[in-house]
Amino acid sequence: MDLPDAGSERSAGLVGRSVELGQLARAVDQLLGGSGGILEIAGEPGVGKTRLLLELSADARSRGVQVLEGRATEAENALGFGIYQDALGDRFRAEAAGPLLPTGLTDPLQPLLGDGPASEFSADRPVSTGAERVRIHQRVRSLLGRWAEQAPTLLILDDAHWADPGSVELTEHLIRHRVPGPLLLAITHRPRQTALRLLDVLGRADQSGPAERVEVGPLSAAESAALARLAGGSGQPTGQADGRPQHWDEIHRESGGNPLLLLALADLAGSGEAGDARPAGTGGRTLGQPAAVLLGELALVPDDGRLLTAAAAVLGERFLVEAMAEVAELGTERAHRAATALIRRDILRPVPGTPQLTFRHPVLRRLVYQHADPVWRVGAHRRALARLTRADAPAVERARHAERCLVDADPQVVRILEEAAEAALRTAPGDAARWLGVALQAIPGTPAEQDRRLRLEIARTLALAASGRLSESRDLLHEVLARVPTDPLDRRLETATLCARTERMLGHYSEAEALLRGELPRIEGWSSPQAVGLMTEYGTVALLTGGFAEADPFVGRAVLMARELGDPPAEAMALAVRGLGSICLGRVDQARRELAAGAALADRLSDADLAREPEALGQLGWGELFAEQYTDAARHHDRGLRLTRRNGQDHVVPHLLIGIGFRQLWTGELDRAVRTAEEAEEVSRELGSRELMALSMALRAAAMDSTTRPAVDGPVLVLAERAVRLAPSEGWWSRSTAAVHAQALLAAGQAERCARVLLDAGGGPELPRTQVILRPLWYALLSAAALATGDVAEADAWAALADTVANRLGLRGPQGFARRAGGLVAAARGEPSRAVEYLAAAAGWFQEAGFAVQRALTLVIGAPIAAAVGDRRQADAWLDEADRLAAETGAGSIAAQAAAVRRGLLERSGTAGQAPPDPGPGLALLTKRERQIAALAVEGTRTREIADRLFLSPRTVDTHLAKIYRKLGVTSRTALGALLAAEGGRQALGVDGP
């Protein structure tokens, strides 16, 4: 049965299928034009073949076509010619009673289509001779020809894969010997279950006349979501917490775009069962209609077959017939017969190249499992476990059955769960956490078992954290830590480290730091892997709080201790943390040495070794990113992302994605940065990390700031402010979010707020809370904000600080920000030649650093200043280069600024055939009112204050500013001030006062 029977009541219309509908419409057009033919509609179960037939039938009826419909069913395939009796019987009987049909046609067909003894045409009593069968075929063909002469006729044979042999033979005759006149024979079937004879004749149908095959494939992801909205009214699984369709991409992938499977999965998702790695019981929940349709395929399966499918569902994804037989408690011969029948029905399928079988689709397996008797399932899992134990299968394979048949704390079963959890901890932490939870429920809380329970609880907290369930892990860790004694010390250190790490991942830095500080005195003179982990975690927390200088000696000790203990993964992690800390403190040369040592060690380690320290590659990549080693950063971040995703270490994924996104942002891959930021935000939301969500949103805002044209840049500031509201008040990530917010404020003309945000987040004018590596950027932003408010002296002071720090660092990106700030200050001081020199140097530094977008922005800012000092060729060259970089990076805002500057330069130099106006060609284009507004704007006067002083509305002032920018080829007040300085200052405007 196909989707319409399950979903037509749930769906108001057909989703997608435009290509298929076009094929059906053309077939009806040809039919109405007098040409018949064969229309084959083929596809997997549930893909929507019957739903398309409904559309075909409705379209044909609405256009005056007479429609005859028949459906074959498994329950009636013992009845000879059953599908034709269903399609033709009613009309034949009505016309025969009329009488509207000649006796020579009526009498021979009475046994087949009338009220005669149909049993003489049953499947087990076929027509006795070939000649008699041919006569029946010819008479049916004559009957259809008679009806086609009266009106164009559509004959539908649905689910022809269930057709009895007589119907198949008659269909073959009608395909080979076409009915004269306008008759369209439409046949739907599942190719895997269709008789070979029918497949053969359909494959050669075009040899005897017009024929078309409609292959019904899967829906696209967008079409799947649309179907979900029609089916459920919201486009999301029932009960979803926040109203977002966050799991529809997963459901689409799992269903393969099959509509029936997709709707069944949606029902499972609504009950909290979709995506569960293990089948769950229905718990008394009524199955949804799509699920009931899928299970309905088993209704006519004999008892042995149904028992065998339940055993197969217990066994898992793949299974042998012998294993099914043992679990189902069937003899091998009976099991083989039942399995063969299930393969014919396309419930089970052979796994190519193996003797194993599998379900047609995992959804069907899940539903079969749910529908099985719960008590029987326990025994079935016990039998499956016994078989695997005899075969000495790995604990991970046995655990999937052990967890479902644990009764009365069976010690052997509990040991299996423990072994499996230990094996899966780094590769499948979600499974490990579940198995440990089951084992802990079975282990009594007696004093004799206290040590064992403590060990398993610690392991479970690690598994919970690694699988992204951070809050659960933290709560359990605090409970365990309160009970862990200081002897043995290493267990105490391990628990404290895990607890601090979880607090850190949740953004609770103060709690993590306090916890670690309380444990540090215990490791004085102590050497162990657990001590290495504690000191490395202390350094990681200090990185985020801004206190790495204090933690640095401990991390250095951790590096040496890990080396002495012969623990390369721990050493690589400690080196990565220390390298990142050194670069943040401005110790660039030392950082590069540490990062190089960490990279050499990590690159030699296997994936299994690195799984012990899943954050090592992330920290290493961040350090290399700040050290401007982008190729190395990309290599380590990409490898880390592959490993953590493969191993289910979800808690590390957003850190890696954000690092990748900032590299893409800095190097000019803006569209990719936006997509990466969106993915990081989604993962962070699932983890419950507000701080990482906020930073992901800030990353997206920063990328959008360059891609979005200025006329519609409001959403950038809105997004940045949402990120700031979401972020906690402390920590590196929150300060980074504040920096993006400050940039958005500056671009929006809110310079004073920009400065306040930076100074508050940085801890004051010396920016003590800001990493040294980032201070040149922050100082440059403060300088730009001061220029925007007209305070050139303050802007100069901030630019000097940026220059001092950048020179000390020796990195190219910070040098670029410092030189650009100096260039803008020089322009504001009326030193345009010096400004051009600084801006050219800044563009060169940005080019060497690989900052394509920043280079393009610098060139756009510098072009009008270069033109103002008479170097129009330089200005044009800079604009050409900016246009090229903007096109390569997708920086739409910079492309728009470059276009505005170019227009302004053209207007200032005059159009073709006209001499340029003298003197001060650009300023001469301004009206008196525009000059007044420009003079006030470059002094830092706010829009509302300008409006009050000039007796205008704020909107009118903004309109005038837009005209000024267009005429002069600038895009901001800062650029306007620089251009005005190049033209001779306020005096060039000829305005003494408002």
Side-chain angles (χ1 to χ4, degrees), residues 74 97 231 285 315 320 393 396 415 593 766 830 929:
E74 185 182 9
R285 186 177 60 86
L315 284 167
L320 293 168
V396 169
R415 279 196 299 273
R593 289 193 299 272
E766 295 182 0
R929 177 63 79 189

Side-chain angles (χ1 to χ4, degrees), residues 350-437:
V351 178
T354 77
Q356 296 176 309
L357 301 177
T358 188
F359 276 89
R360 182 177 77 225
H361 195 279
V363 176
L364 184 56
R365 177 205 161 213
R366 189 178 304 171
L367 291 170
V368 169
Y369 185 93
Q370 291 175 342
H371 198 62
D373 177 77
V375 176
W376 177 88
R377 280 202 309 256
V378 173
H381 280 296
R382 190 176 293 116
R383 292 187 289 275
L385 177 59
R387 178 181 175 86
L388 289 173
T389 302
R390 289 197 308 272
D392 198 23
V396 169
E397 292 184 29
R398 289 179 285 150
R400 300 186 186 282
H401 299 290
E403 66 177 312
R404 297 174 179 86
C405 64
L406 180 57
V407 179
D408 298 329
D410 184 333
Q412 182 180 1
V413 175
V414 173
R415 279 196 299 273
I416 292 171
L417 293 172
E418 290 184 50
E419 292 175 20
E422 183 179 0
L425 190 57
R426 294 188 181 93
T427 57
D431 290 340
R434 188 177 71 250
W435 292 332
L436 288 168

Side-chain angles (χ1 to χ4, degrees), residues 677-756:
E678 291 171 342
E679 185 179 359
E681 182 181 347
E682 183 65 36
V683 178
S684 301
R685 179 179 287 107
E686 293 175 357
L687 289 175
S689 174
R690 292 167 56 89
E691 187 177 39
L692 292 177
M693 280 178 60
L695 186 57
S696 302
M697 294 166 64
L699 169 60
R700 181 155 58 99
M704 289 171 56
D705 188 42
S706 296
T707 58
T708 307
R709 292 183 177 274
V712 290
D713 64 355
V716 174
L717 180 57
V718 170
L719 183 59
E721 292 187 332
R722 280 179 54 206
V724 168
R725 287 194 298 270
L726 188 64
S729 58
E730 59 172 326
W732 175 4
W733 301 132
S734 296
R735 289 192 287 274
S736 298
T737 301
V740 173
H741 181 217
Q743 293 179 71
L745 288 168
L746 183 62
Q750 300 184 41
E752 291 180 359
R753 278 191 67 196
C754 165
R756 285 199 304 271

Side-chain angles (χ1 to χ4, degrees), residues 684-868:
S684 301
R685 179 179 287 107
E686 293 175 357
L687 289 175
S689 174
R690 292 167 56 89
E691 187 177 39
L692 292 177
M693 280 178 60
L695 186 57
S696 302
M697 294 166 64
L699 169 60
R700 181 155 58 99
M704 289 171 56
D705 188 42
S706 296
T707 58
T708 307
R709 292 183 177 274
V712 290
D713 64 355
V716 174
L717 180 57
V718 170
L719 183 59
E721 292 187 332
R722 280 179 54 206
V724 168
R725 287 194 298 270
L726 188 64
S729 58
E730 59 172 326
W732 175 4
W733 301 132
S734 296
R735 289 192 287 274
S736 298
T737 301
V740 173
H741 181 217
Q743 293 179 71
L745 288 168
L746 183 62
Q750 300 184 41
E752 291 180 359
R753 278 191 67 196
C754 165
R756 285 199 304 271
V757 166
L758 290 171
L759 293 173
D760 288 347
E766 295 182 0
L767 304 180
R769 296 180 192 159
T770 305
Q771 286 83 355
V772 176
I773 193 74
L774 297 176
R775 286 177 190 170
L777 169 61
W778 286 48
Y779 284 136
L781 286 171
L782 286 165
S783 178
L787 281 179
T789 60
D791 193 337
V792 178
E794 183 178 351
D796 190 20
W798 290 126
L801 285 171
D803 193 59
T804 299
V805 178
N807 285 332
R808 189 166 68 244
L809 290 172
L811 291 169
R812 294 160 293 189
Q815 295 272 22
F817 288 116
R819 296 297 180 278
R820 189 166 69 194
L824 291 174
V825 170
R829 286 189 176 280
E831 303 172 358
S833 297
R834 187 179 178 203
V836 169
E837 177 186 345
Y838 270 65
L839 292 171
W845 284 118
F846 284 136
Q847 183 175 25
E848 291 185 28
F851 287 9
V853 175
Q854 294 299 332
R855 172 173 167 79
L857 178 61
T858 304
L859 295 174
V860 171
I861 291 172
I865 303 175

Side-chain angles (χ1 to χ4, degrees), residues 6-222:
S8 57
E9 295 180 4
R10 302 178 58 175
S11 173
L14 184 65
V15 172
R17 306 302 188 202
S18 58
V19 173
E20 293 90 339
L21 289 173
Q23 290 177 278
L24 303 186
R26 286 193 296 274
V28 175
D29 289 341
Q30 292 168 2
L31 179 63
L32 292 171
S35 175
I38 306 299
L39 182 65
E40 176 191 3
I41 303 177
E44 290 279 301
V47 79
K49 302 181 296 297
T50 303
R51 184 67 178 86
L52 283 172
L53 275 188
L54 292 178
E55 295 293 322
L56 173 65
S57 175
D59 180 42
R61 291 181 194 277
S62 69
R63 299 167 69 180
V65 174
Q66 54 184 353
V67 179
L68 307 170
E69 300 178 75
R71 169 175 292 183
T73 65
E74 185 182 9
E76 299 175 351
N77 66 1
L79 179 64
F81 301 101
I83 194 169
Y84 284 94
Q85 292 184 31
D86 189 33
L88 311 180
D90 288 346
R91 180 167 178 179
F92 172 81
R93 288 189 291 272
E95 294 194 3
L100 300 176
L101 295 175
T103 304
L105 190 58
T106 303
D107 292 345
L109 291 180
Q110 273 292 348
L112 175 65
L113 302 176
D115 297 322
S119 60
E120 65 183 78
F121 294 115
S122 64
D124 57 354
R125 294 180 59 189
V127 178
S128 57
T129 67
E132 189 175 351
R133 290 199 303 273
V134 170
R135 283 194 294 272
I136 291 174
H137 298 163
Q138 291 172 340
R139 285 165 182 149
V140 171
R141 178 173 177 270
S142 298
L143 177 66
L144 291 172
R146 182 182 181 88
W147 288 343
E149 288 176 2
Q150 299 170 9
T153 301
L154 169 63
L155 173 57
I156 291 174
L157 305 180
D158 194 12
D159 286 346
H161 49 275
W162 294 125
D164 59 88
S167 294
V168 170
E169 191 175 5
L170 175 53
T171 304
E172 178 185 12
H173 178 87
L174 294 176
I175 293 174
R176 293 186 187 280
H177 306 281
R178 301 295 177 89
V179 172
L183 182 131
L184 176 63
L185 176 58
I187 303 170
T188 73
H189 68 106
R190 305 173 184 176
R192 283 178 177 269
Q193 295 170 258
T194 302
L196 291 176
R197 184 171 185 174
L198 183 55
L199 287 175
D200 176 64
V201 72
L202 286 170
R204 294 187 288 174
D206 58 353
Q207 297 178 7
S208 55
E212 183 164 10
R213 178 183 173 90
V214 178
E215 193 74 47
V216 187
L219 297 175
S220 67

